[in-house]
Amino acid sequence: MVAGLLLLALLTGLLGLVLVVSARRIPADAITVVDRLDSVLPHTQCGRCGYSGCRPYAAAIAAGEADINQCPPGGDEVIVALSQLLGRPAKALDESFGLAGPPIVAVVDEDICIGCARCLDACPVDAILGAAKFSHTVIENECTGCELCIPACPVDCITVTENTSQLDARAAH
Amino acid sequence: MSNGRTSNQALPLPAWGVRLESRKIAAETGPINKMPPPGELIVALKQNVGVPAEPIVQPGDRVLKGQPIATAPRWGLGVAVHAPTSGTVTALEERPIPGAGGGTGESVVIEPDSKEERYAGYVAQPNPLGLSPPQIRNDITEAGIVGLGGALFPTATKLNPGSGIQALILNGVECEPYISADNALLIERSDQVLLGAAVMLRALDCDECLVAVKADMAEARAAVQEAIDALGDDRISMVVVPAFYPAGGERQLIELITGKEVQAGGLPWDVGVVCQNVGTVAAVAKFFGAGEPLISRIVTVTGNGVGAPANVEVMIGTPIGDLVEFAGGYTDAAAGLVMGGPMMGFSLPHDQLPVTKATNCILVADQAELDPSVREMPCIRCGECARACPATLMPQQLLALARGPDYAALESQGLQDCIECGCCDYVCPSYIPLTSRFIEAKQGLWENHLVAQRSERALHRYEARGKRLERRERDRSNELQRQVDEIGAAGEIDAEALRQLKQRVKSKKPGDNT
């Protein structure tokens, strides 16, 4: 009886020690909440949520500063994914940040483009190809449809259209 | 692999699959009928997995039988397309093409003359077995040959697996009820099939060829055996597989014969095997033996809605309506058209679609064949579908997940490995159309993947841009620092002079040139 109690006490103490040491020595999981939230966002980097990109928005959600329904390009799917990650109820998109819609891409009207190269700097994913005094063009497959190039253009030659490249890829499949 | 030579003993029945009542009798008893050219041929440019062929004819051109009308691009699994008979090109335009998508495809429309004048560019090879393997593969691509079992995979690509191929399996199993095109081919032209097999063995540098036929194809088995005996090539033997469905699926057949399973995402040559449909092999023989590229194929026209069910050798591009007319026309019972068999085929909206290289069967179904008029009931979790599934999936589980749909779970449960054979539909006591749900879910899974891929690429580019901007900024400040240090190193500037200089720079106005 006494021996048994002593043995249990000893075991408890030893295992406790192991846990304490390992908690101090082994670093915590490198994947943070922000990483996981960031991974479900659409990475259009459009900034419509009010933050400078997807990752800052993820950080703001993690810090409790932003709500989960501020991402128009992600739509309901992203809201549901975020709500599952956070264990919160899903809610409707806050339309003051913009409306959800089909995937879009930017198109440069090459007849109007003056080659000022300003949209090149505005594009968060380097999807516009061009050089000063040469007409620019959008790499359709890389454009996320963030629309950040539109206000940058001094001659308003950039418009957006529905992105059909996904459908084409499917047909080729 | 097979030890000893040809045996007439069927392989044992596996645990999966279903036994189906054969409905081949109507078509298989007769000879292969050759159909004359129709009034118009619609030859699609994309009749292969991969990129379409590039047209090299214009409306108004006269073409000869077997003349290339579109060439294979050098990338993306392209294969050439040829004029099925002599005539005049009347159009190069989008036409409706049979396919699960139901869309159109760019096609060369030819109005045949009755001369059947042959193109002189291709001639019979006196000694095809003397050609080098790369030459054989080139010729097969040039001849427009793709997998005629319906997959349309370029045949030459399958003959280029590198080394280590232990066996070439010729698939003559044709397990769908109703279809008997390969059966008819084996009965009438086994010698041709074996010639093609010899050419393929040469291309693969392989010493064993197994001709797989089904236990209930007595006449075809006899014909194959006779041809093997006549040829006396001991590399070629016959293997008999039990009569069940889907014994003729590529992976299923390989598993039956070799006992090896082709892994998910893998290819037959991972287990040292290449599998070719017998019709494809015969097409190879026709090109090397007679100088005729792939311009026709055997199609089973059958079902209760057609007058005289038969196997018809028909030119690629023949409108299906003309083909049915040739096979005795529609009966009063005709209620719908299906391309392919009842298990894996798909219904056609009308009969003005052309025969393509994928068309192995046209089923003119009556009302009973078309619609068993039973209502779908809830899944009772009986597990019959899991027993029948040849890909060893759990269809009942997949069905539940497809309702969500929970794509991550569907993927981990192996939805992509579904071969859409329809066994689960067939055994389901609740008449649930599982396969069509899975086809839909696969589509969703594919779209989901695309979105994820795009998002990942965008993130990658965004991060790369961030790093670039950071680097540019760092370089700039480094350069500034270097210049400051340089001035400092000169050491001769006294503090007061430097202050005055700075003052002057500050007071300088933009545009001031002094």
Side-chain angles (χ1 to χ4, degrees):
Chain A
M1 174 71 185
V2 178
L5 276 178
L6 273 176
L7 191 65
L8 275 180
L10 194 69
L11 266 177
T12 317
L14 271 176
L15 291 174
L17 204 66
V18 169
L19 282 178
V20 168
V21 170
S22 58
R24 295 215 176 145
R25 285 281 172 88
I26 303 168
D29 202 340
I31 299 173
T32 63
V33 179
V34 177
D35 284 327
R36 294 176 65 183
L37 292 174
D38 188 33
S39 73
V40 301
L41 293 173
H43 298 303
T44 50
Q45 315 294 352
C46 63
R48 261 174 254 179
C49 50
Y51 295 88
S52 61
C54 295
R55 200 176 167 84
Y57 175 45
I61 298 175
E65 289 162 10
D67 209 341
I68 59 171
N69 61 349
Q70 302 183 1
C71 177
D76 291 344
E77 280 164 36
V78 164
I79 294 173
V80 168
L82 288 173
S83 73
Q84 280 173 353
L85 273 176
L86 295 167
R88 284 194 218 160
K91 47 172 84 174
L93 179 69
D94 184 344
E95 296 190 343
S96 63
F97 292 97
L99 299 174
I104 51 177
V105 286
V107 181
V108 170
D109 187 334
E110 290 167 18
D111 291 338
I112 305 177
C113 177
I114 53 170
C116 69
R118 284 189 204 177
C119 57
L120 266 55
D121 282 338
C123 180
V125 292
D126 283 340
I128 306 180
L129 200 66
K133 295 187 181 160
F134 288 96
S135 183
H136 306 336
T137 192
V138 176
I139 307 170
E140 199 185 313
N141 275 336
E142 308 295 353
C143 174
T144 64
C146 69
E147 301 187 338
L148 292 177
C149 50
I150 294 176
C153 179
V155 291
D156 290 340
C157 74
I158 305 176
T159 51
V160 289
T161 64
E162 198 170 322
N163 184 357
T164 52
S165 69
Q166 289 189 17
L167 300 173
D168 294 347
R170 196 167 61 207
H173 185 71
Chain B
M1 215 132 293
S2 89
N3 35 14
R5 299 271 52 102
T6 301
S7 127
N8 259 319
Q9 197 69 43
L11 296 168
L13 205 63
W16 37 264
V18 292
R19 273 176 177 276
L20 299 174
E21 190 189 337
S22 173
R23 302 284 187 85
K24 304 190 182 203
I25 312 304
E28 80 185 1
T29 45
I32 300 172
N33 298 313
K34 222 174 149 133
M35 180 176 166
E40 181 184 70
L41 288 165
I42 304 147
V43 187
L45 293 179
K46 180 167 165 31
Q47 296 195 55
N48 55 294
V49 169
V51 297
E54 289 159 357
I56 49 170
V57 290
Q58 289 297 322
D61 288 359
R62 183 173 147 73
V63 290
L64 302 177
K65 179 179 181 168
Q67 180 181 338
I69 52 177
T71 53
R74 290 196 176 279
W75 53 283
L77 303 175
V79 290
V81 175
H82 304 79
T85 187
S86 62
T88 313
V89 176
T90 55
L92 179 62
E93 61 190 12
E94 291 281 326
R95 285 292 187 101
I97 294 298
T104 62
E106 201 183 11
S107 307
V108 176
V109 184
I110 298 172
E111 193 187 316
D113 52 30
S114 51
K115 296 176 191 145
E116 299 226 23
E117 208 175 314
R118 276 194 55 163
Y119 174 66
Y122 300 124
V123 288
Q125 283 283 346
N127 179 20
L129 299 181
L131 298 172
S132 70
Q135 181 67 44
I136 292 174
R137 288 192 284 268
N138 256 350
D139 285 358
I140 288 176
T141 303
E142 178 75 43
I145 298 173
V146 289
L148 296 183
L152 298 184
F153 197 82
T155 301
T157 310
K158 272 174 101 170
L159 292 177
N160 194 13
S163 56
I165 294 303
Q166 291 141 29
L168 166 67
I169 295 177
L170 303 191
N171 186 350
V173 176
E174 206 166 49
C175 51
E176 278 254 16
Y178 289 93
I179 309 183
S180 57
D182 290 344
N183 187 28
L185 173 79
L186 288 175
I187 291 170
E188 289 193 17
R189 302 176 194 166
S190 269
D191 51 340
Q192 243 192 57
V193 171
L194 297 191
L195 169 65
V199 174
M200 283 189 173
L201 284 177
R202 167 95 183 116
L204 286 169
D205 188 23
C206 162
D207 286 326
E208 180 162 23
C209 172
L210 298 163
V211 188
V213 289
K214 211 164 50 157
D216 63 355
M217 297 160 67
E219 225 180 316
R221 274 164 64 188
V224 170
Q225 191 57 62
E226 198 181 317
I228 289 176
D229 292 343
L231 191 69
D233 184 341
D234 66 356
R235 296 178 302 172
I236 303 176
S237 54
M238 180 171 76
V239 54
V240 182
V241 301
F244 78 103
Y245 178 85
E250 185 173 66
R251 281 153 194 255
Q252 285 63 43
L253 185 61
I254 291 169
E255 193 183 331
L256 271 179
I257 294 178
T258 67
K260 291 181 201 157
E261 202 176 324
V262 179
Q263 295 295 309
L267 287 168
W269 60 58
D270 297 339
V271 296
V273 172
V274 168
C275 202
Q276 300 276 7
N277 168 267
V278 289
T280 315
V281 186
V284 168
K286 221 175 190 174
F287 184 68
F288 289 101
E292 187 181 303
L294 181 55
I295 53 174
S296 65
R297 66 160 296 148
I298 302 171
V299 180
T300 303
V301 188
T302 185
N304 289 337
V306 65
N311 279 304
V312 183
E313 185 168 13
V314 59
M315 286 172 188
I316 306 291
T318 302
I320 285 162
D322 292 331
L323 174 61
V324 173
E325 205 51 53
F326 180 74
Y330 297 105
T331 64
D332 293 340
L337 276 174
V338 175
M339 183 173 135
M343 298 296 284
M344 290 190 69
F346 51 90
S347 55
L348 299 174
H350 55 81
D351 67 2
Q352 287 313 299
L353 299 159
V355 166
T356 68
K357 291 174 183 175
T359 313
N360 51 1
C361 178
I362 295 297
L363 175 58
V364 189
D366 65 11
Q367 204 57 51
E369 286 168 320
L370 209 58
D371 173 23
S373 61
V374 280
R375 231 185 49 238
E376 179 184 339
M377 289 179 281
C379 172
I380 56 168
R381 298 238 155 204
C382 64
E384 279 302 315
C385 48
R387 265 190 286 280
C389 180
T392 59
L393 301 174
M394 291 193 288
Q396 79 277 35
Q397 204 82 336
L398 290 173
L399 180 71
L401 293 172
R403 289 218 166 102
D406 183 345
Y407 289 117
L410 281 169
E411 204 171 348
S412 70
Q413 293 283 323
L415 176 69
Q416 318 88 292
D417 298 328
C418 168
I419 58 166
E420 300 165 21
C421 65
C423 283
C424 47
D425 300 0
Y426 183 80
V427 297
C428 181
S430 291
Y431 308 107
I432 302 171
L434 292 125
T435 309
S436 60
R437 303 272 157 79
F438 296 157
I439 293 172
E440 236 167 73
K442 273 181 172 178
Q443 184 75 36
L445 189 63
W446 166 245
E447 281 168 31
N448 229 32
H449 262 292
L450 273 179
V451 170
Q453 256 172 25
R454 283 183 77 88
S455 150
E456 199 175 312
R457 220 170 44 219
L459 178 63
H460 178 76
R461 290 177 77 88
Y462 175 67
E463 285 174 347
R465 176 175 184 267
K467 279 188 196 143
R468 197 191 69 223
L469 294 181
E470 207 176 278
R471 198 169 52 235
R472 195 202 278 167
E473 195 47 52
R474 203 175 50 229
D475 288 352
R476 198 171 283 167
S477 67
N478 282 350
E479 175 62 17
L480 209 63
Q481 191 60 48
R482 197 187 59 76
Q483 285 179 10
V484 168
D485 288 351
E486 209 174 72
I487 295 168
E492 303 299 314
I493 304 170
D494 68 81
E496 179 54 25
L498 188 63
R499 202 190 54 79
Q500 281 179 4
L501 185 70
K502 277 184 179 165
Q503 198 68 40
R504 214 179 72 210
V505 171
K506 242 184 214 167
S507 66
K508 214 174 182 182
K509 297 209 167 51
D512 192 350
N513 271 334
T514 51

